[in-house]
Amino acid sequence: MEQKKLYRSKKNRMICGVCGGIGEYFNIDATLIRLALVLLACTGSGILAYFVAAVIIPDNPEE
């Protein structure tokens, strides 16, 4: 069985594709991930976490 890998989405992106990629990885709607990120952004750490993830998570090479 092939292991799933986390990639930033090229199809389902708003800014960098992080939420779309996480949604594809966990097979849930990316809108729910975006809403959770907005709640985290209110604390200040969500914005930093998003941009760190955008740097660390690679683009999907298959799209």
Side-chain angles (χ1 to χ4, degrees), residues 3-59:
Q3 183 177 357
K4 287 175 67 173
K5 294 187 179 183
L6 178 61
Y7 293 111
R8 288 186 290 142
S9 178
K10 290 184 179 179
K11 295 182 298 185
N12 191 6
R13 68 171 43 190
M14 290 287 211
I15 299 174
C16 293
V18 174
C19 295
I22 292 171
E24 290 171 5
Y25 183 80
F26 289 110
N27 200 25
I28 58 175
D29 188 15
T31 304
L32 297 174
I33 304 296
R34 290 182 184 111
L35 288 173
L37 184 68
V38 167
L39 292 176
L40 278 176
C42 292
T43 66
S45 62
I47 297 169
L48 178 63
Y50 183 86
F51 287 111
V52 168
V55 170
I56 293 173
I57 300 171
D59 274 334

